[in-house]
Amino acid sequence: MSGLTMRKPKQILKGSILLTVLALLYNEFLVYYLTLYSCNYPRINDDSFDVLNTMILADTHLLGSRNGHWFDKLRREWQMHRAFQTAVTYFRPEAVFFLGDIFDEGKWCSPEEFQTYIERFHSLFYVDNSTKVFVVAGNHDIGFHYAVTPYLNQRFHSAFKTRSVRKVSMKGVNFVLINSVAFEGDGCSLCLDAETRLEKVSNNISCAGEHCSGPILMSHYPLYRSSDEMCDELDEAPPVEKFAQFRERWECISNSSSEFIKEKLQPRLAFTGHTHHGCKTDHGVFTEWTVSSFSWRNKKNPAFLLARFSANSMAVSKCFMPDENTVYYVYMGFMALIVLLFVKIKTSRSAVKIKH
């Protein structure tokens, strides 16, 4: 007991403040750089200089006034902001694609709150003029098909310059962005507009090189599949969801509409979201990547994709962001160190009393 020494309270306070600052610095800044440092653009088999570097993410679900609370909103939005800005700093994408459900309450919010939503989106996911941003609508942005109104559809269209079907060409690569909510196939005005535009885009897609390369499809809803059972990804759905049967027009586009889209576009690759879990689906002539949610609120180990495209080649890699549980464990470790400081001083003071 005589070997124990008593630290001064001021030393304990300084140590606690230092450990708290280190914990915040690591968990709120450094962890994003350390985690994403190991991620890279995939190699592409193309000697051409016309290679397009892109970043693809889904389901950010920015909270509104109804769901969650202020700390939930603050925590998740800071996580997405830091992950996104770190990724943009590292990878400098030429284009970023957001695959729908940008907002969590876009289908309910007032015009004033929707304007605030837009401002928050551009603040959290800021890019400079060297990067182009493309957005597709999700069911949380404009509502499920039964709840979509011309007003909800138009205000999202006006905010992000979307269409029911839109073709974008960059460096000889064609992308087709669709409003998957509009592919219900029930003859509604929204659906008829989408089908007409898809026909027009299909007829106007140009081919590059010796062989025709199909477009890259971007959609919120996945193309039809019966479930996530075949998925084999680190960010795949948990067992309770993985084997659940998908309902057409809810968890995925209907089989008939999916076949219509595939027939008209003949895509060489597809990217989708909505399920909040990662998956790769083989459609025979092309692969569909379903991107997990970008938010800790929906996924403890969120991810995004880095993809490179040329007129005739393509390659995709998956990047994982910090795991929320790991961040909590690190905070707990720092808290334990702070507690040990007080335990030490308490033990030391007890030793002094016994000695006297």
Side-chain angles (χ1 to χ4, degrees), residues 19 38 44 63 66 79 94 96 184 205 213 226 245 260 274 316 333:
L19 288 173
S38 60
I44 188 171
L63 290 175
R66 294 192 179 199
Q79 167 258 322
E94 297 167 87
V96 179
E184 189 81 359
I205 289 178
S213 296
S226 59
Q245 292 297 298
F260 174 70
H274 186 56
V316 182

Side-chain angles (χ1 to χ4, degrees), residues 320-338:
F320 284 94
M321 295 179 282
D323 188 300
E324 184 177 32
N325 290 331
T326 301
V327 170
Y328 286 155
Y329 294 151
V330 173
Y331 269 125
M332 291 171 62
F334 275 100
M335 288 176 64
L337 290 176
I338 293 173

Side-chain angles (χ1 to χ4, degrees), residues 4-141:
L4 293 175
T5 59
M6 183 178 68
R7 294 191 182 95
K8 296 179 180 180
K10 186 179 292 187
Q11 291 177 319
I12 296 296
L13 180 61
K14 287 182 178 179
S16 299
I17 292 174
L18 177 61
L19 288 173
T20 300
V21 170
L22 288 175
L24 290 171
L25 179 63
Y26 178 82
N27 281 323
E28 307 304 331
F29 290 94
L30 294 180
V31 69
Y32 296 97
Y33 289 95
L34 294 173
T35 303
L36 294 180
Y37 182 78
S38 60
C39 194
N40 291 290
Y41 280 110
R43 293 184 177 275
I44 188 171
N45 297 321
D46 195 321
D47 296 328
S48 170
F49 289 104
D50 290 329
V51 174
L52 182 70
N53 295 324
T54 67
M55 179 178 171
I56 305 166
L57 56 147
D59 295 274
T60 54
H61 282 270
L62 300 184
L63 290 175
S65 59
R66 294 192 179 199
N67 297 328
H69 51 81
W70 69 268
F71 185 75
D72 187 21
K73 182 187 299 185
L74 175 66
R75 186 79 188 108
R76 270 53 180 193
E77 290 188 2
W78 176 255
Q79 167 258 322
M80 290 189 288
H81 174 68
R82 287 311 320 152
F84 183 82
Q85 295 304 329
T86 303
V88 168
T89 299
Y90 270 153
F91 308 120
R92 300 292 180 186
E94 297 167 87
V96 179
F97 294 90
F98 289 82
L99 302 182
D101 278 3
I102 307 303
F103 310 133
D104 192 62
E105 302 168 25
K107 55 186 177 181
W108 296 313
C109 65
S110 66
E112 295 76 18
E113 188 173 359
F114 188 77
Q115 184 59 40
T116 302
Y117 252 149
I118 296 170
E119 293 169 1
R120 281 165 56 203
F121 172 83
H122 288 299
S123 174
L124 292 170
F125 304 111
Y126 170 79
V127 296
D128 61 29
N129 293 331
S130 65
T131 301
K132 296 180 179 180
V133 173
F134 300 96
V135 175
V136 299
N139 55 289
H140 276 265
D141 301 315

Side-chain angles (χ1 to χ4, degrees), residues 153 163-165 179 182-183 187-200:
N153 184 55
R163 294 176 183 169
S164 55
V165 178
N179 177 359
F183 284 88
C188 73
S189 58
L190 182 65
C191 298
L192 290 176
D193 176 69
E195 292 168 7
T196 300
R197 288 182 181 274
L198 190 71
E199 290 271 10
K200 184 177 180 180

